[in-house]
Amino acid sequence: MNYLNSIYRTFFISLSLLFVINACTELEENPGAVQLAPGTLTSVETLEALITGMYRTVQNEARWSNFFIAGYSGDDITTFSGGNKVGFREADWRAQTPASDRLVRAYRGAYNMIAIANTAINAKEAIEGDREIIDRLIGETHFMRAFAYLHLTRTYGEVPVQLNVNDPQILRKASFQELYELIEADLLEAERLLPDVYPGIQATGIRPSKGAAKAFLARLYMHWAGFPLNESDKYGLAATKSKEVIDGGFGYDLSPSLRSMWTVGNRFAHSEGVFTMVFCDEVCGTGNRTTGRLGLPLEAKGWSETFGEIAFFEDMEAAAMAEGTTTRFEDTYVLEVLPRGDEPNGAEWRNFDIEPHPILRKVVGGDMSEVSVVNSTNNAINRYFMRYADVLLTYAEASGRSGNSSTEAWEALNKVRRRAAGLDPNIAAPSIDITSGDLAELAFTERKWELAGEFERWHDLVRTNRVVEAFANRSPDEAVDVVNSKTPETSGKYLYFSPIPQAELDNSPQLND
């Protein structure tokens, strides 16, 4: 408990935090507005309180599945065929309209983060105090503004940009080029200002470092190189930035166990988090509401919100058996028998009567004996916005796509493969290692398996323009489709990106397509 308290003591700095939270609870027509009296932000203490409010905003938004609504479109994730999951189903089928349910949180939540970041960035010249601390905190605001805009554009495509507090100008949609340039500029500034290792934090990723800024630059360049702009020269930049993370001494490393990262007991016993949101159901009262019962079916007393898709499960199982990477497969899915009603012997997922879906261990919890997690809808499992495995695979894929399939790039791929086989990632394994072939495609496929169930697969499908191809592989037994006599759309204006929510269009009609 002392360690958790040391992490979260910053969440309770002072009552001055209240003006931040209260100011950012609603997003009307102006996503940059925040009510802070002019001249208030002049001290390090006030800036720290503002940054605290920024992270509490991230925590409050990312604790809900709605924040990751786009991820339900990936071929790795699906939802329940009935109940109140219609918003997730429409994302699953790419059948969204501006009036669709569950579209608002990702939009308003990201702009709330941006509003707080803008407040700090706009006032930075007036802040007095220790310059090193001020630079670090301002670096965090640039990082978080970039994070929020990247989340927005990956979810909704072209969205408004607001960089000044209480700017009266009428909002307009920015182009992908404008958005990417803004995100790049913020991440480069964060890279300049942030320390190599964040002081006073005992686990990597809990607060962003210079390495996190570089890693997110690599993610940005992967999207820039792919659909819709297709500026392929950016693959070289993605490879360069991810290699700088690998070589930079930022403290990242692969966890010996993938499964333990999704437990409460071992969530800090590794250095794989590049940017991580830590939840604290007991310490601060803000737990993760995307995990535990959210991934269990009704018959196992679950809330039936986030499941695996059948075809993806079967393909991963076959690949794991063929390649000897069954450890990762078993760390990704719950294959044990689960309780079902009054039957003490329970059932494997295929034998549930109401909804046969693969059960994602990354959602339910890595350790089924942690009943405080598995049987909860509010727990302390971490949310990994980026893991070091992602960086390694980005380096491998970007190197291949930029025509530089180096020995180091193959080694980055093989480190992930070794861990997937339950082996030491840093020791060569001839039976697992790959040293020839199409490095880019091999790394892309490895990302498919490694990041399954983490709401990232959809964005990989979009940037490589493989959405329709993935939908064609959908299982004919997929209950969400069968029960509703519906299958995913393969065309239409919202195939790749979700619409801006109707409530925001009502406030700003000029944002209508």
Side-chain angles (χ1 to χ4, degrees), residues 420-438:
L423 303 174
D424 187 328
N426 299 308
I427 299 177
S431 64
I432 295 297
D433 292 355
I434 303 174
T435 57
S436 63
D438 188 332

Side-chain angles (χ1 to χ4, degrees), residues 482-496:
V482 173
V483 172
N484 293 279
S485 300
K486 178 76 176 176
T487 55
E489 302 287 345
T490 57
S491 62
K493 63 192 303 184
Y494 301 128
L495 178 59
Y496 298 102

Side-chain angles (χ1 to χ4, degrees), residues 170-190:
I170 296 175
L171 296 174
R172 66 171 184 84
K173 284 185 179 179
S175 67
F176 283 104
Q177 186 74 28
E178 291 170 321
L179 286 162
Y180 290 171
E181 288 175 356
L182 164 64
I183 296 165
E184 179 187 41
D186 267 339
L187 288 174
L188 288 171
E189 184 67 358

Side-chain angles (χ1 to χ4, degrees), residues 2-39:
N2 288 336
Y3 175 49
L4 285 177
N5 281 328
S6 72
I7 293 175
Y8 289 109
R9 65 183 185 276
T10 185
F11 288 131
F12 305 98
I13 290 177
S14 70
L15 291 177
S16 61
L17 169 61
L18 292 177
F19 71 76
V20 178
I21 296 175
N22 290 338
C24 298
T25 53
E26 293 296 333
L27 173 67
E28 299 298 339
E29 68 278 7
N30 188 345
V34 60
Q35 304 304 315
L36 179 63

Side-chain angles (χ1 to χ4, degrees), residues 18-211:
L18 292 177
F19 71 76
V20 178
I21 296 175
N22 290 338
C24 298
T25 53
E26 293 296 333
L27 173 67
E28 299 298 339
E29 68 278 7
N30 188 345
V34 60
Q35 304 304 315
L36 179 63
T40 301
L41 188 53
T42 58
S43 70
V44 171
E45 292 75 18
T46 310
L47 178 59
E48 286 178 331
L50 190 75
I51 302 304
T52 299
M54 181 175 67
Y55 285 116
R56 282 304 296 265
T57 298
V58 181
Q59 192 182 54
N60 286 331
E61 302 304 332
R63 68 192 297 236
W64 302 98
S65 302
N66 306 21
F67 188 73
F68 305 97
I69 186 67
Y72 285 85
S73 309
D75 57 350
D76 57 331
I77 292 176
T78 190
T79 189
F80 182 51
S81 64
N84 65 348
K85 312 303 179 186
V86 62
F88 299 126
R89 290 197 298 275
E90 289 181 354
D92 197 17
W93 296 322
R94 297 312 301 167
Q96 293 169 310
T97 70
S100 289
D101 191 19
R102 302 183 185 272
L103 275 177
V104 172
R105 183 169 294 276
Y107 193 85
R108 290 184 175 177
Y111 278 115
N112 287 343
M113 300 171 204
I114 291 165
I116 300 174
N118 284 343
T119 300
I121 293 168
N122 289 178
K124 63 183 178 182
E125 300 302 328
I127 303 172
E128 298 179 354
D130 186 316
R131 197 70 246 169
E132 183 178 346
I133 296 175
I134 293 170
D135 284 349
R136 184 183 76 227
L137 294 172
I138 293 298
E140 288 183 80
T141 62
H142 280 285
F143 178 88
M144 284 310 308
R145 189 167 71 178
F147 170 86
Y149 272 120
L150 186 57
H151 188 68
L152 281 166
T153 191
R154 295 208 305 170
T155 304
Y156 303 98
E158 295 178 330
V159 295
V161 166
Q162 186 92 320
L163 302 181
N164 297 309
V165 175
N166 298 328
D167 191 335
Q169 293 186 7
I170 296 175
L171 296 174
R172 66 171 184 84
K173 284 185 179 179
S175 67
F176 283 104
Q177 186 74 28
E178 291 170 321
L179 286 162
Y180 290 171
E181 288 175 356
L182 164 64
I183 296 165
E184 179 187 41
D186 267 339
L187 288 174
L188 288 171
E189 184 67 358
E191 180 185 35
R192 184 180 74 83
L193 294 174
L194 287 171
D196 288 355
V197 177
Y198 201 97
I201 299 297
Q202 298 180 45
T204 63
I206 295 173
R207 297 286 283 265
S209 68
K210 193 181 298 292

